[in-house]
Amino acid sequence: MLTIEEVRPDTGTCKFCGQIFALTLSDEEWAEHLEKTGLSGETLGDEIATLRCKCKEGAKYRMRSESLFACSEIIEGTFRNEFPDIADLLQSVKGTVYGGHTVSKIVATLPGDKGQATISYGKDGMKVEYKKVLLTGASTGF
C-alpha cells in the first residue's frame, strides 16, 4: 500500500472545466481519499479537485460519486457477510444502474430460496433491497 507522501500532489485539475485547485489536506483527509478511491498521485489530485469544483459537470460528478459510495456501503452492510458473491455482483453493476439510462433495475435470486437482492435507480436515487419472504404456518391435522 502506498504511503500518503507518495500520493500527495500539490495541485489537482477539474476533469471537466480545467480549473486548478491547491490541495492542502490533512493526513487523515488524504488517507480517506486514498482508501475511498484507490487512486494515487496526480490522478488522486485531479479526482479531489473535480469533487471540489463548483462547475456544473463537477457538481453532477460529485453527486454521482457520493451516491455510488453510499450505495457501496449499503451493499457491503447488507450482503457481504452472508452473500459475498451477490455483494460483488451488485458492486460491479451499481455504476451501470446509476441514472437509470441503460439499466434501471437488476434483481438477483439468492441461492437456497433465501430471497432476492435488488439494486435500482429511481426518483429517490439509488436503492438496494434484500427481500426475504418468511412463511410460517401450522396445521391442526384434522
Side-chain angles (χ1 to χ4, degrees), residues 16-139:
F16 301 106
C17 71
Q19 184 173 346
I20 298 172
F21 289 81
L23 303 176
T24 55
L25 284 80
S26 69
D27 286 349
E28 293 80 21
E29 290 171 315
W30 278 110
E32 180 182 325
H33 282 291
L34 183 60
E35 183 181 333
K36 260 185 175 178
T37 65
L39 301 173
S40 62
E42 186 177 320
T43 308
L44 179 58
D46 292 346
E47 178 73 8
I48 294 168
T50 303
L51 291 171
R52 288 184 168 184
C53 194
K54 302 290 188 224
C55 72
K56 183 177 179 180
E57 292 302 313
K60 286 181 189 177
Y61 185 78
R62 182 173 44 259
M63 186 167 46
R64 174 184 164 82
S65 294
E66 290 171 0
S67 181
L68 290 176
F69 181 75
C71 183
S72 181
E73 294 290 304
I74 294 167
I75 290 168
E76 291 301 308
T78 305
F79 297 104
R80 179 60 61 195
N81 290 335
E82 191 174 355
F83 305 106
D85 291 342
I86 296 295
D88 291 343
L89 172 69
L90 296 178
Q91 292 290 10
S92 71
V93 299
K94 70 180 183 257
T96 303
V97 174
Y98 181 86
H101 304 296
T102 306
V103 176
S104 60
K105 183 178 187 178
I106 294 177
V107 180
T109 301
L110 300 170
D113 292 330
K114 298 222 177 182
Q116 291 182 332
T118 304
I119 185 168
S120 61
Y121 184 86
K123 63 180 178 142
D124 295 328
M126 295 292 290
K127 184 189 284 188
V128 177
E129 297 175 311
Y130 175 24
K131 181 179 179 183
K132 184 175 182 178
V133 176
L134 176 62
L135 178 63
T136 59
S139 174

